[in-house]
Amino acid sequence: MKTVLKITMIILFSATVLYACNKETPKNPEPVVVQKPQPTASSAKYVKGSHIPTETVCMVNNAYMGKKQIEVPHNGKMYYGCCEMCVKRIPSDKTAREAIDPYSGKTVDKADAYIVMISDEGEVAYFENEENYNKFLTQNS
């Protein structure tokens, strides 16, 4: 059952990432060189369960990206996106700026959240604070 749930989550996460970053196509497309991301020394230290620096998360895709993302200031807070589509979406889409704390069920502002990597693929969850994350771990261990 856990394997089916894990595979389902991976598929949903992948579909979300592909949809979010490929929603708009440029009017004058230019050739793009695709490079496979290479792990860096700083990204290698984060694994499932790690607290992740806010600036390394694409808040539209809810994913740890391994490097600092594009800053998107909005209402006095700093959000982060991985591409121009994300940068445009954050100010206009409240769901890109808010998440539900998995422990408390409360709405959390992503700019203020305690962010934790919850999968080996880089998916993240947003907690109100570190205490809620620790309670979540205790409850789900």
Side-chain angles (χ1 to χ4, degrees):
M1 182 68 174
K2 285 185 179 183
T3 303
V4 171
L5 182 59
K6 185 175 180 178
I7 291 170
T8 302
M9 292 303 293
I10 290 169
I11 291 169
L12 288 173
F13 175 73
S14 298
T16 301
V17 169
L18 289 172
Y19 174 77
C21 285
N22 291 316
K23 191 172 179 181
E24 294 182 5
T25 55
K27 290 180 172 75
N28 297 319
E30 297 177 14
V32 177
V33 177
V34 178
Q35 295 180 7
K36 186 175 180 181
Q38 299 298 317
T40 62
S42 63
S43 69
K45 66 183 174 181
Y46 299 111
V47 295
K48 184 177 175 182
S50 294
H51 170 67
I52 304 299
T54 305
E55 66 272 6
T56 62
V57 172
C58 174
M59 295 180 173
V60 173
N61 295 308
N62 302 316
Y64 169 67
M65 304 303 279
K67 64 180 182 176
K68 186 172 180 180
Q69 298 302 291
I70 304 167
E71 293 182 350
V72 185
H74 181 72
N75 287 341
K77 295 184 179 186
M78 190 62 67
Y79 300 88
Y80 296 89
C82 67
C83 64
E84 286 305 313
M85 190 283 308
C86 293
V87 169
K88 290 177 186 174
R89 185 170 169 194
I90 288 171
S92 63
D93 185 354
K94 190 176 180 180
T95 63
R97 299 186 309 271
E98 294 181 347
I100 302 297
D101 180 317
Y103 175 73
S104 69
K106 292 182 182 177
T107 300
V108 177
D109 190 308
K110 292 179 181 181
D112 301 326
Y114 184 82
I115 306 173
V116 177
M117 189 182 314
I118 58 169
S119 77
D120 294 327
E121 292 76 30
E123 182 181 6
V124 299
Y126 303 87
F127 291 86
E128 221 176 331
N129 50 46
E130 184 176 8
E131 182 181 346
N132 278 14
Y133 172 61
N134 289 328
K135 289 177 181 177
F136 178 81
L137 281 179
T138 302
Q139 189 178 60
N140 293 288
S141 294

